[in-house]
Amino acid sequence: MKRVRLPITALTGYLKELKFEKCERRGKEVYKLLITIQADRPYILESGYDTHFAKSVLAAIATLTPEQLYSPITHSLPLFCHSPE
């Protein structure tokens, strides 16, 4: 998985997956929230599980109806995201 800087300010696509992954940062085990969005290609947004960003995204997704989850969403991006390509 390659970390890339995206030259855009928003990403529109379908929410494909939300998951928490354990990893090591600075010698400690931590959890990351990984959000997979299918747009022109798959993108994985990564954030610490306890950050304001992660909490806000999870709260926003929790308000969506099942029908809305099948529609594309637009999300403002952090400076970097992961592209599985």
Side-chain angles (χ1 to χ4, degrees), residues 1-80:
M1 196 170 6
K2 175 172 101 173
R3 187 174 178 181
V4 295
R5 183 178 182 145
L6 298 177
I8 56 177
T9 58
L11 179 65
T12 298
Y14 293 91
L15 181 63
K16 291 296 183 183
E17 183 179 38
L18 290 172
K19 69 179 180 179
F20 289 98
E21 188 173 274
K22 189 188 310 184
C23 61
E24 189 173 313
R25 297 278 194 260
R26 298 183 188 129
K28 295 181 183 178
E29 280 190 351
V30 296
Y31 287 90
K32 294 288 185 178
L33 171 64
L34 301 175
I35 304 165
T36 303
I37 296 178
Q38 180 64 48
D40 59 325
R41 62 182 190 223
Y43 293 92
I44 301 172
L45 306 179
E46 179 183 308
S47 178
Y49 81 97
D50 61 348
T51 63
H52 179 71
F53 171 79
K55 292 174 184 177
S56 298
V57 168
L58 292 173
I61 290 170
T63 66
L64 299 176
T65 65
E67 294 80 23
Q68 289 172 318
L69 288 171
Y70 287 107
S71 300
I73 60 170
T74 298
H75 181 60
S76 297
L77 292 175
L79 292 176
F80 294 91

